[in-house]
Amino acid sequence: MNKAISGCDSNKTDLNSRLITLIGFILFLSFNSLSAQMEPFLLLEKPGTKHRIRYYVGDEILFKHKDQEVFNTAIVVGFSDSSFFVNKDVEIKIREVEALADRSKVKMVRGIANGALIAVPGFFLLTIANNGLNTGDRPLVGREVYPLAAAFTALGGLGYLYKGKRYRLENRWRLIVVHH
């Protein structure tokens, strides 16, 4: 009888220690996420919609001054109430920024474009292998391959032309520094 009781107590102790560990882990994660949310950030948003892009310290930002033609690439190093700092404390006033560019999806689009361009020779090689070895049809490349290859080539070419989105601040977009 004592063995059964002591075995039950060890299971309760083990369950209690696991429960305490789980509660501690949840508290750790919640405090950790709260501290991460409390750092200031630069917010590009379109009021009344859910379109928001956040720039934190250490993020790369592409911006265009009102008096310049090209976009500048820089790393965000800090914020004040009306400006942000880039590359070793160069101050950029928010009211002097005309547009921002979001290049975050360019790598994904270029990867899809690479895949499309690599697939084109594969279409021809697989059709030649199928017709030459399996069916014996002539010509080795059928008519249905050409439109498919042209579509994938066009998709690949257009993917390389994609440069990301540009957000002009005059088109209802606004740029603000958020301090918690």
Side-chain angles (χ1 to χ4, degrees):
M1 185 92 181
N2 287 339
K3 287 184 180 181
I5 292 173
S6 66
C8 182
D9 287 339
S10 70
N11 287 340
K12 280 186 178 181
T13 306
D14 189 41
L15 183 63
N16 286 341
S17 65
R18 285 185 183 183
L19 184 63
I20 290 171
T21 304
L22 179 65
I23 290 172
F25 184 68
I26 290 171
L27 288 173
F28 171 76
L29 289 179
S30 65
F31 287 125
N32 194 18
S33 66
L34 286 176
S35 66
Q37 292 175 356
M38 296 184 75
E39 64 182 271
F41 58 90
L42 190 64
L43 178 66
L44 174 66
E45 71 172 349
K46 193 169 194 176
T49 67
K50 293 183 179 182
H51 299 292
R52 291 183 180 91
I53 300 173
R54 295 179 182 193
Y55 296 96
Y56 292 96
V57 171
D59 288 349
E60 183 179 78
I61 188 169
L62 283 87
F63 62 95
K64 181 178 168 186
H65 281 281
K66 290 186 178 180
D67 58 345
Q68 293 180 344
E69 293 289 325
V70 296
F71 277 84
N72 300 308
T73 303
I75 303 294
V76 177
V77 295
F79 304 103
S80 72
D81 289 337
S82 62
S83 60
F84 59 97
F85 298 93
V86 296
N87 296 349
K88 298 181 184 175
D89 295 331
V90 175
E91 183 177 12
I92 308 296
K93 301 256 185 230
I94 290 177
R95 67 177 179 270
E96 295 174 359
V97 175
E98 180 181 342
L100 290 173
D102 182 18
R103 305 279 195 252
S104 63
K105 295 181 180 141
V106 171
K107 287 183 181 178
M108 178 188 66
V109 171
R110 295 261 168 95
I112 292 169
N114 275 342
L117 291 175
I118 289 171
V120 171
F123 290 142
F124 285 106
L125 291 175
L126 289 174
T127 304
I128 290 170
N130 182 43
N131 289 342
L133 299 175
N134 292 336
T135 62
D137 292 342
R138 297 281 186 244
L140 289 177
V141 178
R143 286 186 282 166
E144 68 276 354
V145 174
Y146 295 112
L148 190 62
F152 273 76
T153 302
L155 177 70
L158 290 174
Y160 273 99
L161 295 176
Y162 180 73
K163 293 182 180 173
K165 287 188 171 187
R166 295 181 180 182
Y167 300 102
R168 293 200 178 274
L169 298 182
E170 62 210 25
N171 296 336
R172 293 188 41 211
W173 287 90
R174 72 177 179 180
L175 186 64
I176 57 173
V177 175
V178 178
H179 296 278
H180 288 284

